[in-house]
Each structure stands twice: as C-alpha cells, then as structure tokens.
Amino acid sequence: MKSAICGRILSPNPVFKPGDTPSFCKGPYSNICVPVAVLAAVPGKGGGLLEKPVIEKVTPGRESEFDLKKSRKTAPPYRVILHNDNFNKREYVVQVLMKVIPGMTLDNAVNIMQEAHYNGLSVVIICAQSDAEDHCMQLRGNGLLSSIEPADGGC
C-alpha cells in the first residue's frame, strides 16, 4: 500500500514554498491527500519539533528567597572618621567632603567639618569596609586627616 503523503514533504528542507501549487500526492491514493500535514511541515507555520522544557532546580533545604537572604553574611560596617588639623581651611574641607563622599550635601559637609573642628574628630560616613577604605584614602589624598574603625555598637 502506497502512502498518500510523500516522505519528502516532512523533511527539514521542503521542496515546495508557501503559495506554490505543485502536486504533493502521487499514486493511487492521491485523492485523500491531507494538506494539513503539508502546512505543519512549513517553517514558521507552527510545525516542527518542540523544544525541551526548562525545569528549574531547587536547592534542597531552601524554600524561599527569605531563607537565602538569611543565610548570607553581611560585611560589618565601618566608620570613616575625619580628624581636625591646623593646616586646611574650613571651606576646603567642605569641598573635599562633597567631592569624595557620594550624596554628601553642603549642610552635612559643614556640620561634619564643624564637629571635627570643635571636637577633634567627626564621623563622616558608616559603610562597608572596602568603601570605607576607599573614602579614607581619597580624603587623605586630598590632604585631610582621616581613619576608619569598626562601627560595632551602634553609630
């Protein structure tokens, strides 16, 4: 018994193009040719192989995003401290603070400078150790006296 649909039609590179009207079926059963099978073999018409579904793997013992965040350890905070000196003018200290510390406002910079001037030191910012080291080096690079220390025990 001969097949009504030629095996070439279902190949990855069909011999026909959409819109062509060649005879797809040959043989004694050509009157029962199924055009739906022809359309399914045309790329872009919904035919072809289905992709393998992606299955997400869940780590055992981790049930939520909250559990994942709880298990991460956060870096301990460090204080960047500005020390008073008798060399730099107050205006210059304010300018350097605003340039070096991200988000530093004029009012905050003036308050930090005043506190360092009257009390001998002032806390500039509390942040992660690597950021604190960077800020301290930048302040020193601009001629200001600064240091860092762990911020355990509050502000």
Side-chain angles (χ1 to χ4, degrees), residues 112-134:
I112 290 168
M113 176 273 301
Q114 290 285 18
E115 186 177 344
H117 180 72
Y118 290 114
N119 298 330
L121 57 89
S122 177
V123 175
V124 177
I125 190 171
I126 298 176
C127 54
Q129 182 178 4
S130 61
D131 292 336
E133 290 170 351
D134 290 342

Side-chain angles (χ1 to χ4, degrees), residues 41-52:
V42 177
K45 298 288 186 183
L49 297 174
L50 294 176
E51 294 181 13
K52 185 177 180 181

Side-chain angles (χ1 to χ4, degrees), residues 31-54:
N31 60 342
I32 59 168
C33 183
V34 183
V36 174
V38 173
L39 290 176
V42 177
K45 298 288 186 183
L49 297 174
L50 294 176
E51 294 181 13
K52 185 177 180 181
V54 178

